[in-house]
Each structure stands twice: as C-alpha cells, then as structure tokens.
C-alpha cells in the first residue's frame, strides 16, 4: 500500500543565487536554460532556427531539435527513521506523518520536473539517487511504503558521513523529530559551503504521545531552525497536512 499523499501547492525552495524558486516564473540562470531531448517532426510554430537539417535530409521530412526547460532543481529528501518516531497508534504515528509528507513532496517535485532522491536513516539505510520521471517517483513510493522506524542513528553524524550525497546548489528537505542543535549546526555549515537550500520539517513528538488534538508548539530551537530557512514547518498530531503547504 502506497503512503497517503496530499496536494502540495507550494514548496518554499530557496536554493541560493544560482537557481530559481519553485512556483515562480523563471529567468535564464547560469548554464543552458534548455536541455536537448532529441528530435521530432516540425510544427509550424517551431520556426526555422530549430530545424535539424541533417535529420531532415536523412528522413526526407522536416524535423526539429526538441528542447525542454532545464530542471536545475535538485532536491534530496531525508526521512528520519529513528525508532522514537514510532510514537502514536496505527497510521497516526509521527513516522507515518513523515512518510506521507515525503511522498507528497515527491509528487510535487515530479510535477515540477525536478530531479529528486531519497535518503533515510533506517536500520538498513536507504539511498535512492537523484532522478526524474514517474518510474523514479513510484520507485520512491515503494520504498516509502516498506521503510520502517527501526533506525538508531541520530541526524547529526548521519549528515556528516553522507554530505557528499548533496551536490552544490541543491536542496535538502529534512523530515525529523530531532530538535537537538547538533544537526542544525552541521547543516548550517553545509548550507554555507555548498550553497544548499534546506527545508526543515519538524514532527512534534509530544503531540503524538499525548494522542489528543494539539496545537503546534514551536520548539526551543526555533530560531536556529529559521537560520536554515525562515519557513520551517512544525507538524503535530491531527494536523491537516496539506494546510502546511498552501
């Protein structure tokens, strides 16, 4: 069974000066703005500049070079699978909320033609490299459907040992219940040195443990988190998840 997916209207991607924000009209950025995807038959609106004359001569009909807007957006989703995230009951655990958020953001990244991947701290750590397309999306969904909250590694050393997996000027979406300052400190350094756009999504474990409607309580490390990104998300038990991303 695939994870629950909800509609995402916006992701506040700020990847630094060399990439655009999702949801906004883009302008030319460093490097080519379009990527070459092959050739196709000529349409009247294509104009003459895109005609691929060698293929036209070989095939005996007008063909053009086919380009698509370059997706320079790379986003790695990190899902904290520490066993403490199993707080709650049934599908209303902090971990299941995190899985649902990860799956929903992946669908939005798919629709944006972004390149995205998955990294988890499960007992057998998962890493699905960056890629695009529906097949890649369903591969991640299958992994999210199977992953368990059985990890013992906390985010801080996890990020230190795997920082090479995050390329320069990419985004890192962190879904975790850990509110210690150690991992935030390491990500601040990564943000500085690698021009990362970091989106923290914090699961409020206390609300899942109490099993009752709970207001979002901002953690004691709120300011540190906002140094990573002004739009930090705090998710509690019984939250309507889609309302966080509108």
């Amino acid at each position: 069974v695939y994870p629950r997916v909800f509609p995402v209207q916006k992701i506040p991607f700020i990847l630094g000066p060399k990439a655009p924000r999702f949801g906004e009209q883009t302008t030319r950025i460093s490097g080519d703005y379009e990527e070459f995807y092959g050739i196709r038959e000529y349409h009247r609106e294509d104009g003459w500049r895109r005609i691929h004359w060698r293929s036209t001569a070989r095939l005996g009909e007008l063909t053009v070079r086919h380009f698509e807007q370059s997706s320079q957006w790379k986003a790695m989703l990190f899902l904290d699978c520490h066993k403490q995230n199993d707080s709650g009951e049934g599908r209303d655990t902090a971990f299941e909320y995190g899985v649902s958020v990860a799956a929903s953001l992946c669908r939005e990244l798919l629709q944006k033609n972004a390149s995205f991947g998955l990294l988890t701290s499960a007992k057998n750590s998962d890493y699905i490299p960056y890629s695009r397309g529906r097949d890649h999306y369903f591969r991640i969904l299958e992994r999210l459907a199977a992953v368990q909250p059985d990890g013992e590694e906390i985010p801080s050393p996890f990020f230190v040992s795997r920082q090479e997996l995050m390329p320069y000027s990419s985004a890192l979406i962190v879904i975790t219940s850990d509110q210690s300052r150690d991992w935030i400190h390491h990500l601040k350094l990564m943000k500085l040195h690698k021009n990362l756009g970091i989106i923290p999504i914090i699961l409020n474990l206390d609300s899942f443990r109490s099993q009752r409607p709970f207001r979002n309580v901002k953690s004691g490390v709120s300011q540190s988190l906002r140094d990573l990104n002004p739009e930090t998300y705090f998710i509690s038990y019984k939250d309507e998840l889609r309302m966080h991303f509108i």
Side-chain angles (χ1 to χ4, degrees):
V1 179
Y2 286 145
R4 291 176 290 184
V5 176
F6 57 85
V8 173
Q9 294 184 26
K10 78 163 185 176
I11 308 176
F13 266 86
I14 304 174
L15 307 189
K18 296 192 176 180
R21 302 183 185 191
F22 284 150
E24 296 183 2
Q25 184 66 34
T26 60
T27 56
R28 181 175 292 273
I29 31 184
S30 59
D32 292 335
Y33 180 63
E34 295 182 319
E35 290 181 352
F36 176 64
Y37 273 74
I39 61 170
R40 60 168 172 78
E41 63 182 358
Y42 173 81
H43 300 301
R44 183 180 301 174
E45 63 270 16
D46 289 324
W48 293 98
R49 293 180 61 186
R50 289 197 171 185
I51 291 178
H52 194 270
W53 293 107
R54 185 176 299 176
S55 297
T56 294
R58 179 169 55 86
L59 298 174
E61 60 181 20
L62 286 174
T63 58
V64 296
R65 293 169 292 175
H66 177 50
F67 293 85
E68 288 189 8
Q69 181 175 310
S70 175
S71 176
Q72 297 199 16
W73 304 310
K74 285 180 176 288
M76 179 61 65
L77 288 95
F78 166 75
L79 178 64
D80 184 354
C81 296
H82 195 281
K83 56 184 65 175
Q84 71 176 357
N85 294 323
D86 203 21
S87 297
E89 296 181 2
R91 300 193 71 182
D92 280 333
T93 64
F95 181 71
E96 288 299 331
Y97 275 47
V99 168
S100 181
V101 169
S104 302
L105 293 178
C106 281
R107 186 175 70 172
E108 178 66 6
L109 291 166
L110 168 71
Q111 293 172 349
K112 295 295 186 185
N113 192 34
S115 181
F116 56 98
L118 176 69
L119 185 61
T120 81
S121 61
K123 188 174 183 179
N124 297 316
S125 176
D126 299 289
Y127 171 57
I128 300 181
Y130 297 97
S131 190
R132 305 178 195 165
R134 292 184 60 82
D135 289 346
H136 177 64
Y137 167 65
F138 282 110
R139 182 186 174 198
I140 288 183
L141 281 191
E142 289 170 4
R143 188 58 210 144
L144 288 173
V147 69
Q148 296 296 319
D150 57 6
E152 297 184 355
E153 193 170 6
I154 59 176
S156 180
F158 188 89
F159 287 134
V160 170
S161 63
R162 294 164 177 83
Q163 56 184 307
E164 74 282 353
L165 300 178
M166 274 67 80
Y168 184 83
S169 285
S170 62
L172 174 61
I173 304 172
V174 179
I175 305 171
T176 182
S177 64
D178 192 306
Q179 296 187 27
S180 66
R181 285 181 168 82
D182 287 345
W183 70 266
I184 300 172
H185 171 72
H186 287 301
L187 289 191
K188 282 182 182 178
L189 294 177
M190 290 171 61
K191 177 181 179 179
L192 176 64
H193 295 302
K194 305 187 81 170
N195 191 41
L196 291 184
I198 297 171
I199 301 175
I201 300 174
I202 306 300
L203 305 169
N204 183 357
L205 275 190
D206 288 342
S207 68
F208 290 89
R209 289 169 177 156
S210 67
Q211 288 297 288
R212 59 185 173 81
F214 203 92
R215 283 189 175 185
N216 271 343
V217 178
K218 303 300 187 288
S219 73
V221 292
S222 295
Q223 188 54 54
S224 296
L225 287 165
R226 288 191 174 88
D227 289 341
L228 290 176
N229 188 324
E231 296 192 61
T232 294
Y233 296 85
F234 292 90
I235 292 177
S236 296
Y237 175 63
K238 288 299 184 183
D239 278 359
E240 189 173 354
L241 295 177
R242 69 180 182 86
M243 298 303 293
H244 286 279
F245 300 94
I246 59 175

